[in-house]
Amino acid sequence: MKILHTSDWHIGRTLYGRKRYEEFEGFLIWLAETIQKNSIDVLVVAGDVFDTSAPSNRAQELYYRFLCRVAASSCRHVVVVAGNHDSPSFLNAPRELLKALDVHVVGSMSTSPEDDVLVLCDEQDAPELIVCAVPYLRDRDIRVAEAGESVEDKERKLMDGIRTHYAAVATLAEQKREELGVDIPIVATGHLFTAGGQTIDGDGVRDLYVGSLAHVTAGIFPASFDYVALGHLHVPQKVNGSETIRYSGSPLPMGFGEAKQQKSVCQVVFDQAQGHSKTESVQLIDVPVFQKLERIKGDWDGISRRILDLSIMDSPNGSGVWLEVIYEGEEVIGDLRERLESAISDTQVEILRIKNNRVIDRVLGRIHEEETLDDLNVNDVFERCLAVHCVPEDQRPELLRAYQETVSSLYEDDVKAE
């Protein structure tokens, strides 16, 4: 049996104002073709299907068209869980209809863990796989807030809540397997941040929880899981070196920091041997580039040479190249944008972002490197406000934690829920 693990599609995400629907469509067409070509039996999507909780009509169209295409293929089941960017109620709304297409959607943690433990069957209606479909676990789902509790208490409750939920679904999955009397694999999903997880600057990954941010360890996943399909981190990676606990990573680069990263999806193969033992292999399948991105850094000569090289190179689908230019030369260039516009004229090169570090450092004389508000995250802005208003240093940590909790609660509000 073959399982394909992917996550973090972020359909609808823009890049410095540019819409990317053609890229998302190209990926989903490629994914459907890969499923058919590799005879995939089960597709697992580990969260962040959409980039926002209120996706556009076009984003929804791409999602549902893909599900219909996969439902008509040799793939027997699709399992979709919500990520922190998704609206649980929006994903759940058509779940009963999608179930008729063997598309199983879990938008939020159920009050009964048994609802999230799926037994999937083959063409002969024989059980072939158990999936513990765990979505992004929201703070309010796994922790009861109490007045006067410390930050350490909150962190401990978060970790205990995550651990308890995975233990509960694992126990139920083992019970179901025992009742069925067949030694079938158990796969779990998750959308969270693991300790030591690798991220890239500008990838859009935001911390899920306040404090320790609930960076869980591999030990939180019970040993009965034969494979753990994770989402949230955009860099494809193993957790604590484990072959069977993995992030598939995002299929498209979410920012210029990911431009040189090879994107992939994970193919997991389970072989039944003598009816009881099972071995598995995990193979990464490279995702093609649907829109070339590149970050150019250096002095003017280096930047202009690279633009010239790119202007004569072929690009995927004839779509040209999108650039981020960071000028770091010694010379102060006040007309950098005009020079760059001239350099890319009559080419398929398009510059989405320009950062002139030399002007920032020498002309503006700012303490910080950031040129625009786009370069700051919400925590940076709040910390600047504390500094501007001369808030005493000893008061800032607690104020920052309270601010982070407020922002986190805003992110977790389900705008589609009544």
Side-chain angles (χ1 to χ4, degrees):
M1 181 176 55
K2 293 182 178 179
I3 299 171
L4 199 66
H5 162 209
T6 178
S7 71
D8 296 276
W9 296 351
H10 290 278
I11 302 174
R13 187 181 182 89
T14 61
L15 184 62
Y16 293 107
R18 287 302 304 268
K19 297 185 185 301
R20 308 178 68 183
Y21 290 116
E22 289 77 11
E23 290 176 78
F24 294 119
E25 183 175 18
F27 163 68
L28 292 174
I29 291 172
W30 171 87
L31 184 60
E33 292 172 347
T34 300
I35 288 170
Q36 189 68 24
K37 176 183 175 183
N38 291 27
S39 301
I40 299 299
D41 301 304
V42 179
L43 173 67
V44 176
V45 186
D48 282 354
V49 175
F50 298 105
D51 193 55
T52 69
S53 58
S56 68
N57 289 338
R58 189 168 180 187
Q60 295 178 49
E61 179 186 0
L62 292 175
Y63 171 61
Y64 291 119
R65 184 187 297 165
F66 167 78
L67 292 181
C68 288
R69 184 171 181 177
V70 173
S73 73
S74 58
C75 184
R76 291 193 286 276
H77 299 277
V78 178
V79 178
V80 180
V81 300
N84 59 303
H85 281 251
D86 296 312
S87 161
S89 57
F90 176 82
L91 284 186
N92 276 340
R95 65 184 297 176
E96 294 304 318
L97 178 63
L98 291 175
K99 193 178 293 183
L101 300 176
D102 289 318
V103 177
H104 313 273
V105 179
V106 178
S108 58
M109 189 181 91
S110 173
T111 53
S112 173
E114 191 168 353
D115 294 339
D116 300 338
V117 179
L118 313 174
V119 178
L120 307 184
C121 298
D122 60 19
E123 294 106 327
Q124 288 73 44
D125 206 30
E128 63 175 344
L129 178 70
I130 297 175
V131 179
C132 297
V134 180
Y136 165 53
L137 299 175
R138 296 170 185 266
D139 191 332
R140 65 173 70 97
D141 296 332
I142 56 176
R143 179 179 72 87
V144 177
E146 295 180 7
E149 63 184 352
S150 66
V151 172
E152 291 73 20
D153 290 335
K154 295 175 184 178
E155 294 174 2
R156 177 180 51 78
K157 286 184 178 181
L158 281 170
M159 296 298 290
D160 288 346
I162 295 171
R163 183 182 293 106
T164 299
H165 187 70
Y166 275 103
V169 294
T171 299
L172 286 168
E174 292 176 63
Q175 289 173 355
K176 285 181 180 288
R177 183 165 62 181
E178 188 174 344
E179 291 169 1
L180 293 168
V182 287
D183 189 18
I184 55 177
I186 298 175
V187 169
T189 67
H191 195 90
L192 39 72
F193 204 135
T194 55
Q198 182 185 356
T199 61
I200 289 180
D201 183 42
D203 62 4
V205 173
R206 60 178 177 238
D207 296 325
L208 299 183
Y209 304 103
V210 180
S212 69
L213 310 174
H215 290 193
V216 305
T217 62
I220 209 166
F221 303 113
S224 57
F225 293 156
D226 297 293
Y227 183 80
V228 181
L230 296 177
H232 185 54
L233 301 189
H234 295 170
V235 180
Q237 57 194 285
K238 305 172 187 176
V239 176
N240 200 29
S242 172
E243 289 287 336
T244 57
I245 307 176
R246 288 176 176 261
Y247 288 96
S248 62
S250 60
L252 300 182
M254 294 294 113
F256 286 100
E258 299 179 49
K260 294 183 178 179
Q261 186 187 116
Q262 177 59 62
K263 297 298 186 178
S264 58
V265 295
C266 300
Q267 177 180 276
V268 186
V269 180
F270 290 101
D271 293 323
Q272 293 295 124
Q274 299 177 355
H276 60 276
S277 63
K278 50 186 175 293
T279 57
E280 60 188 51
S281 63
V282 181
Q283 173 191 357
L284 300 185
I285 301 176
D286 291 345
V287 177
V289 174
F290 301 99
Q291 170 63 61
K292 183 172 177 57
L293 306 180
E294 182 158 338
R295 172 183 283 166
I296 302 177
K297 301 173 68 173
D299 59 16
W300 173 250
D301 288 340
I303 290 171
S304 58
R305 279 197 304 269
R306 184 54 185 159
I307 290 177
L308 179 61
D309 291 341
L310 290 171
S311 67
I312 59 177
M313 290 173 56
D314 291 331
S315 59
N317 307 318
S319 56
V321 185
W322 290 355
L323 295 184
E324 177 187 53
V325 177
I326 303 176
Y327 176 71
E328 298 179 326
E330 290 298 320
E331 177 189 3
V332 176
I333 300 179
D335 62 342
L336 179 61
R337 181 174 293 275
E338 288 75 11
R339 289 197 194 185
L340 289 170
E341 292 295 339
S342 175
I344 65 172
S345 62
D346 300 322
T347 73
Q348 285 192 302
V349 176
E350 184 175 354
I351 299 174
L352 301 193
R353 183 170 185 261
I354 300 171
K355 189 172 183 179
N356 192 337
N357 282 347
R358 192 53 55 196
V359 166
I360 297 169
D361 294 342
R362 292 193 175 185
V363 178
L364 300 181
R366 294 184 181 177
I367 296 175
H368 303 284
E369 292 183 359
E370 285 76 9
E371 182 180 9
T372 68
L373 192 60
D374 289 337
D375 300 307
L376 300 172
N377 63 38
V378 292
N379 291 332
D380 294 331
V381 174
F382 187 74
E383 288 172 349
R384 299 285 178 85
C385 288
L386 295 178
V388 167
H389 291 281
C390 302
V391 175
E393 289 285 347
D394 60 339
Q395 296 180 19
R396 294 184 186 183
E398 188 61 34
L399 287 171
L400 180 59
R401 278 194 291 269
Y403 171 74
Q404 288 175 327
E405 287 188 357
T406 303
V407 171
S408 179
S409 68
L410 290 174
Y411 284 145
E412 291 193 353
D413 282 343
D414 187 357
V415 298
K416 292 291 186 179
E418 292 185 353

